[in-house]
Amino acid sequence: MSEAFTTRMIDVVTGSSETVHDLTAICAEFLREAAGGRDGLLNVFVPHATAGVALIETGAGSDHDLLAALHSLLPADDRWQHRHGSPGHGRDHVLPAIVAPHATLPVIGGRLELGTWQSVCLVDTNRDNADRQVRLSFLG
């Protein structure tokens, strides 16, 4: 692998309830090692059929609002044709069509360039799988 490209898989435990899990500090730590002060792009990718990556404000209720909105759009009931797992689990498989499983973000001087209130978050509505992986890739 060249110095221009560095990638790492990280493990995240999301628990048994729906969550918006903040990855911003993990991304910053990865960039301190991988970017070495350079400009480039950070790609955050969740290799799961039932999770996504969002840029959202956390800690002020927006993360809970996102989960509430997803509940309205994707109710956990028996309408879904995909039926294995917990009742309503089929909606978890629709989630990545709404909350993409990836984000590509600018890195300037080795630091993630986010807006004032933006955080990089893993969105996980799947209560059946608490063990997640996130691939962080830096292209300088």
Side-chain angles (χ1 to χ4, degrees):
M1 204 173 311
S2 75
E3 284 185 32
F5 182 79
T6 304
T7 190
R8 178 176 305 143
M9 191 73 84
I10 60 167
D11 295 317
V12 177
V13 178
T14 58
S16 59
S17 60
E18 300 174 359
T19 189
V20 175
H21 184 88
D22 194 338
L23 300 170
T24 310
I26 293 168
C27 291
E29 179 182 329
F30 169 73
L31 288 171
R32 276 191 293 277
E33 298 172 21
R38 296 176 293 157
D39 295 349
L41 296 171
L42 173 68
N43 181 264
V44 182
F45 174 67
V46 184
H48 297 281
T50 59
V53 175
L55 294 182
I56 189 169
E57 178 181 7
T58 59
S62 297
D63 37 355
H64 298 292
D65 291 341
L66 173 58
L67 292 175
L70 290 172
H71 255 279
S72 294
L73 289 169
L74 305 170
D77 58 23
D78 64 356
R79 74 184 68 198
W80 308 100
Q81 296 200 21
H82 186 104
R83 294 188 183 268
H84 77 81
S86 297
H89 174 66
R91 69 161 186 146
D92 299 327
H93 287 274
V94 177
L95 174 76
I98 296 170
V99 180
H102 60 88
T104 301
L105 308 165
V107 176
I108 306 297
R111 298 183 61 176
L112 197 53
E113 279 294 305
L114 295 174
T116 302
W117 303 112
Q118 288 180 319
S119 294
V120 182
C121 296
L122 168 66
V123 179
D124 187 2
T125 59
N126 183 356
R127 296 171 304 200
D128 294 339
N129 184 4
D131 298 316
R132 298 303 189 156
Q133 292 184 314
V134 178
R135 178 172 295 282
L136 302 176
S137 300
F138 173 72
L139 178 61

